[in-house]
Amino acid sequence: MAEKIAIVLAAGEGKRIKSDVAKVLHPLCGVPILHHVLNRLTHLRFARIFVIVGHQAQQVRESVALYDVTCVLQSEQRGTGHAVLQAQNALSGVNGSVLIVNGDAPLLSDETIMHLWETHHLKKETVTLLTALLPSAAGYGRIIRDDNGNICNVVESADATPEELRVHEINAGAYVVDLSFLFPTLSTLTSHNQQNEIYLTDIVRAAVQKGISISYYQTPSTSESLGINSRRDLARAEAVLQQHIVDGWMDKGVTIIDPNAVRIEATVTIGRDVVLYPGVILEGHTHIGSGTVLYPCRIRDSHLAERVVVRDSCVIDGADIASDVSVGPFAHLRPGTQLHSKSHVGNFVEIKKSKLGAGSKANHLSYIGDADIGKNVNIGAGTITCNYDGIQKHQTRIDDDAFIGSGTQLVAPVHVGVGTVIGAGSTVTKDVPPQTLAIARARQTHLPKRPKRP
Ligand code: UD1
Ligand code: CA
């Protein structure tokens, strides 16, 4: 089969989304709209992918930097036909056909793109369209057929007659077109239409005028052709994709007690026998190991190993949590937190850039920042690592089997040795040797009570 080439249209501003951010960069289930499209094409092994950029070109280029794609600039956004034309030089001398897809169509499936591509190539067609039958076709280009049922035109909503607006078959915004037809034809198109744009879709009428018949693949799905133009479309797409994601994880052995009450971004992975209670939000590059139970919490860019329990109202961001750990309720784990196996973090504990060794516990009301804590350490209620002197952050080191009494302040830099006990209420400012009992608090004195005023 011919080399697979694709052009992705991503230069438009997306006026209808009313945003300072280019439309194709808006996240959908945590991933920019455009990346969903590029992921499909990469997965389908398109060898050369051209992304047409224009509005906020620099931001779009940066966003796709990790993909093996070539960005082509459309300096003025004069319509989808004009956008495709920008790839003409890059493709000069290339034979065969090219897939063209809107960068705002993130729900198209691999199967649909493959069917479209194969429909075109099996019959050696010139132009093949992806169409869909929608109950509500508002806003889409309508597929107009002649008396014999052959496609003869695509009419944009803005240009359509009332009769054409009643058509339910729409242009889904993906096409395969023979290169020897595409660029010569695009060069002849005008912008005599309501939007004063050069429409890619006008190649259909141009082909028919030349006696070339139009082929098509109609997807049976009513949701995957969704093009994102507005915030409402974005929310609709989010709902559709969430449903796919949630169904996918349930099929892989995850218990989701109320599938409508969790949010799982597209980049998250989840092991078997995980239980998700209502109110769980999983974001970014997060992995949840098998057998883990999550009560309502938000977890982002974190790795949780097996059989972890996270109780209600925790926020976990950038943490690495080993097996059999329990966290929460009401814990805040910030980037750089490492909890080793069987450690416990309880209520109202905040941890940042710190390691809590295997079997260690910080169960109540603590702040632990920039600390390296060994195994089987007990951090008493209300312990605080005073890691910041107003200018710099300093390290606290607590070795294995130490016991930090409640209400202790560890003024960093400070090192507490193996097996040491710190008396409750201490303010520790000096290193404490191993196997020591350290008490650093004012001695309690008892003074005679002042007599009451008469
Ligand atoms: C387009 C189709 C319409 C189809 C719908 C499917 C045209 C003329 N119309 O309409 O038939 O039903 O998609 O969702 O193609 N873009 C550029 N440069 C431009 C203009 C647009 O790169 O100058 C990009 C946009 O960033 C977007 C894509 O092309 O990703 C489609 O543009 P958009 O304005 O959203 O077209 P629609 O009106 O939705
Ligand atoms: Ca669109």
Side-chain angles (χ1 to χ4, degrees):
M1 198 172 258
E3 186 183 27
K4 286 161 83 176
I5 306 172
I7 300 174
V8 181
L9 307 184
E13 177 184 346
K15 286 195 183 67
R16 290 164 281 183
I17 208 159
K18 299 199 172 71
S19 174
D20 296 336
V21 177
K23 178 175 75 176
V24 291
L25 297 186
H26 277 257
L28 174 66
C29 292
V31 174
I33 292 170
L34 178 59
H35 290 199
H36 287 277
V37 177
L38 296 180
N39 289 344
R40 299 277 65 77
L41 301 183
T42 309
H43 194 224
L44 290 169
R45 297 187 189 285
F46 273 77
R48 295 173 74 191
I49 301 171
F50 297 91
V51 179
I52 313 297
V53 298
H55 180 75
Q56 293 192 358
Q58 189 51 28
Q59 287 88 326
V60 179
R61 275 180 205 275
E62 279 166 18
S63 151
V64 301
L66 288 178
Y67 288 90
D68 186 12
V69 299
T70 306
C71 291
V72 178
L73 183 69
Q74 182 196 23
S75 42
E76 250 185 291
Q77 284 71 67
R78 294 174 52 202
T80 48
H82 180 256
V84 174
L85 209 43
Q86 310 311 304
Q88 184 169 23
N89 283 345
L91 285 170
S92 73
V94 179
N95 296 319
S97 292
V98 63
L99 170 78
I100 303 168
V101 58
N102 285 352
D104 67 357
L107 299 182
L108 292 177
S109 66
D110 282 5
E111 293 72 33
T112 295
I113 297 172
M114 238 13 257
H115 278 309
L116 174 69
W117 186 258
E118 279 165 6
T119 304
H120 181 88
H121 284 88
L122 284 176
K123 299 196 216 140
K124 298 197 169 47
E125 303 284 357
T126 307
V127 180
T128 306
L129 305 182
L130 178 64
T131 79
L133 274 181
L134 300 188
S136 164
Y140 290 94
R142 307 298 205 278
I143 302 291
I144 308 302
R145 291 176 181 266
D146 64 18
D147 295 341
N148 299 321
N150 297 318
I151 295 176
C152 59
N153 202 2
V154 174
V155 179
E156 293 308 297
S157 282
D159 303 299
T161 62
E163 190 189 344
E164 287 167 338
L165 285 176
R166 281 197 287 275
V167 171
H168 286 279
E169 191 181 14
I170 60 106
N171 166 28
Y175 322 74
V176 185
V177 187
D178 189 303
L179 283 163
S180 66
F181 167 82
L182 178 65
F183 292 117
T185 308
L186 283 176
S187 314
T188 66
L189 299 182
T190 65
S191 56
H192 302 320
N193 52 54
Q194 285 297 324
Q195 302 182 88
N196 197 25
E197 285 183 356
I198 297 173
Y199 291 160
L200 172 60
T201 44
D202 281 350
I203 61 171
V204 171
R205 198 171 51 234
V208 171
Q209 278 164 4
K210 287 184 189 165
I212 298 169
S213 64
I214 304 293
S215 107
Y216 70 99
Y217 168 68
Q218 188 181 79
T219 158
S221 159
T222 53
S223 56
E224 69 170 316
S225 55
L226 181 63
I228 297 184
N229 295 326
S230 64
R231 305 274 179 171
R232 290 185 187 212
D233 293 332
L234 191 57
R236 274 181 208 121
E238 184 84 24
V240 171
L241 196 53
Q242 265 309 297
Q243 182 81 54
H244 281 310
I245 291 173
V246 161
D247 286 347
W249 289 120
M250 290 195 288
D251 290 347
K252 289 195 170 112
V254 175
T255 295
I256 302 180
I257 291 169
D258 181 352
N260 292 316
V262 297
R263 182 163 182 282
I264 304 171
E265 289 190 347
T267 39
V268 170
T269 55
I270 311 178
R272 274 161 74 115
D273 292 319
V274 165
V275 180
L276 304 183
Y277 276 79
V280 169
I281 300 173
L282 303 176
E283 300 175 330
H285 293 280
T286 288
H287 171 75
I288 307 298
S290 55
T292 284
V293 179
L294 303 180
Y295 294 90
C297 62
R298 177 191 292 267
I299 303 179
R300 172 165 205 91
D301 294 334
S302 294
H303 185 280
L304 277 65
E306 296 77 43
R307 300 174 303 279
V308 173
V309 178
V310 179
R311 293 179 216 284
D312 304 53
S313 300
C314 291
V315 176
I316 299 179
D317 183 7
D320 189 353
I321 302 179
S323 54
D324 302 298
V325 167
S326 101
V327 179
F330 303 103
H332 186 189
L333 306 182
R334 293 167 50 201
T337 296
Q338 290 175 39
L339 305 181
H340 288 206
S341 76
K342 298 190 177 161
S343 58
H344 286 240
V345 173
N347 323 247
F348 305 105
V349 173
E350 174 180 351
I351 305 185
K352 182 216 77 165
K353 250 196 205 169
S354 295
K355 181 196 111 186
L356 189 60
S360 290
K361 292 176 186 159
N363 274 337
H364 327 271
L365 299 156
S366 282
Y367 171 63
I368 298 169
D370 303 294
D372 183 348
I373 299 169
K375 290 186 224 146
N376 301 318
V377 170
N378 190 83
I379 306 279
T383 296
I384 290 173
T385 55
C386 310
N387 60 331
Y388 188 45
D389 59 13
I391 300 163
Q392 272 183 307
K393 299 282 166 70
H394 300 280
Q395 289 286 322
T396 298
R397 201 173 126 199
I398 303 173
D399 290 344
D400 298 351
D401 303 313
F403 181 98
I404 312 294
S406 297
T408 294
Q409 295 135 51
L410 298 154
V411 182
V414 72
H415 176 189
V416 175
V418 173
T420 277
V421 174
I422 309 282
S426 291
T427 300
V428 180
T429 55
K430 287 188 283 195
D431 290 355
V432 186
Q435 308 296 352
T436 309
L437 168 62
I439 303 174
R441 63 182 183 227
R443 224 171 239 287
Q444 183 168 327
T445 49
H446 293 175
L447 302 173
K449 210 172 151 189
R450 273 206 298 191
K452 267 200 192 130
R453 283 202 189 129

